[in-house]
Amino acid sequence: MGRASCPSISQLQRPPNQFAGLLRQVMRKPCKANRKRSTIEVEDTPLQRQFDVVIERDEEDYYVASVPQLPSCHTQARSLDEVTERIREAIELCLEVEGAPEQSLEFVGIQRVTIAA
């Protein structure tokens, strides 16, 4: 009979929406086959979601960020780093208040269209 071995973290890695519960369960149990490994505690965190963010610069040189999937989610800042941090916070707040969007949009691209005015 072969020697029992514990799965490594790399063997357990899957996309975040697959086997998350199994990964947490396995990682919390100490491995009997290799006593040198310690128990790893993993927080119960919600699955990660991705959102597309549109960033524009207004006439006063502020960066304005908005999230098409969350129509009421937008913010502004003087720098790209700051607007990125702020839009993350805004997304978290929008999800907390409004919940996850029912319909998911797929990002296709951005085009600039010129028309006669």
Side-chain angles (χ1 to χ4, degrees):
M1 189 175 288
R3 184 184 137 166
S5 65
C6 293
S8 69
I9 298 297
S10 61
Q11 291 171 324
L12 293 173
Q13 288 180 343
R14 301 274 188 270
N17 60 350
Q18 294 181 355
F19 309 113
L22 176 64
L23 178 62
R24 283 191 293 272
Q25 182 182 17
V26 169
M27 291 178 70
R28 284 189 181 134
K29 293 181 180 179
C31 180
K32 293 179 182 177
N34 185 351
R35 293 278 181 195
K36 293 180 182 178
R37 291 188 187 181
S38 61
T39 302
I40 300 172
E41 292 293 329
V42 176
E43 289 182 32
D44 286 331
T45 57
L47 297 177
Q48 293 184 350
R49 297 192 58 181
Q50 291 185 343
F51 292 91
D52 300 314
V53 176
V54 176
I55 300 175
E56 302 170 285
R57 189 169 37 210
D58 70 8
E59 60 277 350
E60 296 176 7
D61 284 337
Y62 276 91
Y63 291 97
V64 179
S66 59
V67 181
Q69 295 101 320
L70 303 169
S72 62
C73 188
H74 51 272
T75 190
Q76 67 179 19
R78 284 281 186 194
S79 72
L80 284 172
D81 290 338
E82 189 176 8
V83 81
T84 302
E85 182 181 325
R86 286 184 179 183
I87 198 65
R88 285 179 188 275
E89 293 171 2
I91 291 169
E92 290 172 356
L93 288 172
C94 286
L95 292 174
E96 186 178 311
V97 171
E98 299 174 8
E102 291 180 20
Q103 188 178 38
S104 178
L105 299 175
E106 176 186 354
F107 180 76
V108 176
I110 296 176
Q111 287 191 326
R112 182 166 293 192
V113 178
T114 304
I115 60 169

